[in-house]
Amino acid sequence: MGRGSLRIFLGSAPGVGKTFAMLDEAHRRRERGTDVVVGIVETHGRAHTAALLEGLEVLPRMTLEYRGSQLTELDAAAVIARRPHVVLIDELAHTNVPGSGHEKRWQDVEEILDAGIDVLSTVNIQHLESLNDVVESITGIRQQETLPDEVVRRAEQVELVDMTPEALRRRLAHGNVYNADKVDAALANYFRVGNLAALREIALLWLADRVDEALERYRADQGINAPWPTRERVVVALTGGPESETLLRRGARIASRAAGGDLIACHVRSSEGLVSGDPSTIGRLRRLAADVGGEFHEAVGHDIAAAILDHARGENATQIVVGVSRRGRWQQFLRPSIASAVADGSGDIDVHLVPHEGSKIRPRTRRTQALPWQRVAAGFVLATTATIALTAILVATQDGHTLSLDLLLYLALTVACALVGGIWPALFCAVGGSLTVNWFFTAPTGTLTISDPPNAIALAVFILVAVAVSWVVTLAARRTEQALTAQRESAALAALSRDLLAEPHPLPSLLTRARDALNLKQAVLTEPGPDGSQVVVAASEESLRAGSPLPDDVAWTTDVPVDEGVHLLLDGPPLAARDQRLVNAYAAHAAILHGREQLIRAAREAAGLARDNAARTTLLAAVSHDLRTPLASIKAGVSTLRQAEVKLTPEDKAELLESIEESADRLDALIGNLLDLSRLETGTVKAHTHSVEIFDAVLDTVRTTSDPARVAIDIGTDLPPVQADLGLLDRVLANVVENALRHSESEIRITAGTLVDKVQLRIVDRGPGVHDADKDRIFQAFQRVGDTPRGDGLGLGLAVARGLMTVMGGSLSPEDTPGGGLTMVIELPSADQQRHEEGA
């Protein structure tokens, strides 16, 4: 027995009538005599759905206990044992209760299908695995029950049960979907009109794609190559020329006139081409195709017209849009245009020939000579002198050769002239050689008359062969020159891409390379400034700095748009046509590098914001504990003193007051550090320096510390004064000394000395010290190093101290104390040296 068939009723949302349609189909099959049973159908309390179960055999469900509850599931074994012809199994994406035969209901269905039983089932579009995230972005609800798309795709039939959003909302409001207590919430959330319309469109498009896949399989199986116009598909043939955007927009308008029309932009390049299209132009066309709702494809073919037709037939296209040829009538007569070839070979596909600005026939211009004029001149000289010399030799030896040898020698000379100077010297040599052979070596000699007809034919063939060979040689030389140019460009661009990756500032390097490669005076990349005028982003000359205005005294010869508002300006001689591609390549690189620099700046700004957010988060976390601790101590002490029923001895009162004072001092220090750090980060701290006696400043600060008895001052009175802000210096000394007292249980020594024009102050402790790896980290805000208990400061003291020292023009650095511990070195400029410099 073969495998059973699966028919799925697909819905866009709950309540559209999937189960109702499945039961209706079951009754139709039962009336035709088919053995139909119900494996499992969920009515969800809907009376109309439950009524359709009457008259159908319902198989018993499997009962399972889960977390103290009795739950029922599909009994696949009972279905297989019953062996009906058709079984109804609702909610294909359902997850089974643990303990069932399979994890998912669709796995039960697979087992039943393998047993040769046909299955009718239902599923909503939001349960498909590939669409789960899309549906979540629309509805805000992530579906927990999903099934692989392949399960639905393998179904022999998928029938869409469709309903407009308005009709479904009316059904919901009438209580035909959910109970009355859930209706208002459902209408206001999942069942909004926009949600339902989007889900409906997703379901329709998904099913339409499956229909297209089935149709393509059928056409491939039947060997049908002719397009079937089931849906309007418009293929726009693009060359990369200036008319491409016009053709693409025209194709978009044609596709939009047909409901569900597809637009495919196809850029075809010849497989014989030495160079491909301009990358910036191709990128612009790709973006435009996406903007107008189309796809962008690229193809390569020997015959452009055949490649376009093959691609259109492969896409099952119904219409082709192609531009009218730029060629003149004689050129089209000798060689049909791509548009004509596409129209002739299109068959049943409609072809739109769209005129454009480039299709207007322009006056013919002279082709630029592929070879330098020096080589052309040399070719004419060779043709003249060599013809004379060869003729003289052949006349002198006239009896030793025949006419055929003469013609071969002059033909060889013609080929040599073509190799040296191209087509025109070769033609000159061919005509001159034919006249010379006719005059000197063809009877009757001395006249241009030919008496023997075979000789006349031989001369005519000689001229034709000479012209043909000259043309082929010239064409080969031109192609060789193009190939070498393309090779040089490719090598230059490859080296450019490789070298720019290692450049720390690639834009100026790119512009310098462009200037040198194109023999320019300068190259500048500009963008709009705040006032709308163009400002310099980067330049090949160091005199033009980023952000400076564009100089007015330069007549820019070339202006290449790079991006929106961004231009590449070149100053130098006018560029040759062959250099335009190289300029466009440099412009494309500039666009990429400019975009990368913008992304780097944005990333740095984002990193700065992230650091600020992290600092704020750390600050809030620290404040929540470290500021609360002294506040709690103060509140507890004051509350105790205010309670009249509590009898305190004078010693207890003194201890409480001392505790309150210490907590208030700690709170004042914490708030002071926070304010100092905030002022430092905003750049509002200004140092008003003057001459300060270092001994007096240290003594005054030590007296205000938490344990002045443990601080020994060893500073001589002969030290010169320092140039500092006394208030800021007091904050620095207080933070450094308190930090030393906190981390050391022994005596703290403060020494001072001079070093050239500086005064060094050393705060020496014998504490645990700091590892070399942590010596920079201790100056970061909110950092505690070692085993300092939480609540003893915010970790701001040293960060504030170093910041204040920087403002005063000094420095604060850590050193290891010999024998163990840490020495903080404060260095300030000498006031005597400052006065000496001012006097000088």
Side-chain angles (χ1 to χ4, degrees), residues 114 124 318:
D114 290 338
N124 278 329
T318 58

Side-chain angles (χ1 to χ4, degrees), residues 588-626:
H589 275 78
I592 295 172
L593 294 177
H594 182 252
R596 189 178 75 173
E597 291 193 354
Q598 287 182 320
L599 291 176
I600 291 174
R601 286 196 295 269
R604 288 174 179 169
E605 293 176 1
L609 292 175
R611 287 193 298 269
D612 292 344
N613 289 334
R616 283 192 290 269
T617 302
T618 305
L619 174 61
L620 291 174
V623 167
S624 65
H625 184 280
D626 296 312

Side-chain angles (χ1 to χ4, degrees), residues 199-274:
L199 293 173
R200 186 187 186 204
E201 181 179 5
I202 291 173
L204 290 169
L205 291 175
W206 189 90
L207 189 60
D209 289 340
R210 303 294 78 75
V211 173
D212 279 347
E213 290 176 2
L215 179 60
E216 289 302 319
R217 286 197 301 269
Y218 176 79
R219 293 177 66 226
D221 294 341
Q222 301 299 321
I224 301 173
N225 295 323
W228 283 8
T230 55
R231 180 193 299 185
E232 290 295 336
R233 286 186 174 88
V234 181
V235 170
V236 182
L238 304 177
T239 64
E243 76 282 356
S244 296
E245 294 187 8
T246 301
L247 298 179
L248 190 50
R249 291 189 175 93
R250 178 65 63 86
R253 291 196 295 272
I254 294 173
S256 65
R257 294 177 191 142
D262 293 336
L263 175 66
I264 301 168
C266 179
H267 175 252
V268 182
R269 53 189 175 91
S270 174
S271 58
E272 296 181 350
L274 295 172

Side-chain angles (χ1 to χ4, degrees), residues 278-330:
D278 176 41
S280 62
T281 301
I282 301 303
R284 187 169 65 252
L285 293 176
R286 189 184 300 275
R287 291 191 294 271
L288 179 59
D291 291 341
V292 297
E295 302 175 9
F296 188 88
H297 299 174
E298 289 194 79
V300 179
H302 174 72
D303 187 337
I304 301 294
I308 293 172
L309 291 171
D310 290 342
H311 192 81
R313 292 191 180 98
E315 295 292 337
N316 197 22
T318 58
Q319 302 181 61
I320 298 176
V321 177
V322 64
V324 175
S325 175
R326 303 187 184 97
R327 298 177 181 176
R329 293 181 179 179
W330 282 106

Side-chain angles (χ1 to χ4, degrees), residues 679-744:
R679 292 163 58 205
L680 286 170
E681 289 183 345
T682 57
T684 57
V685 178
K686 304 296 181 183
H688 303 284
T689 60
H690 55 279
S691 180
V692 176
E693 294 293 338
I694 192 68
F695 179 82
D696 295 337
V698 171
L699 184 61
D700 292 341
T701 302
V702 169
R703 287 172 179 170
T704 62
T705 59
S706 59
D707 192 359
R710 283 204 297 128
V711 181
I713 302 175
D714 185 11
I715 299 177
T717 57
D718 57 344
L719 280 176
V722 296
Q723 191 75 15
D725 184 311
L726 183 59
L728 299 183
L729 180 59
D730 177 69
R731 298 289 300 161
V732 172
L733 290 171
N735 284 337
V736 175
V737 173
E738 286 291 352
N739 185 74
L741 290 171
R742 189 180 302 116
H743 290 84
S744 177

Side-chain angles (χ1 to χ4, degrees), residues 37 120 177 183 260 313 335 345-346 380 385 435 447 468 474 492 505 511 524 561 568 625 641 683 702 737 759 801:
V37 299
L120 303 181
V177 180
V183 169
R313 292 191 180 98
R335 182 183 177 186
S346 61
F380 278 109
T385 57
L435 294 175
T447 67
T474 302
H505 302 290
L511 297 175
V524 177
L568 175 62
H625 184 280
L641 291 173
V702 169
V737 173
V759 175

Side-chain angles (χ1 to χ4, degrees), residues 138 393 457 498 603:
I138 294 171
I393 294 173
I457 296 174
R498 182 180 63 252

Side-chain angles (χ1 to χ4, degrees), residues 389-405:
L390 179 61
T391 302
I393 294 173
L394 292 178
V395 168
T397 59
Q398 190 168 4
D399 296 334
H401 51 81
T402 61
L403 180 62
S404 59
L405 179 60

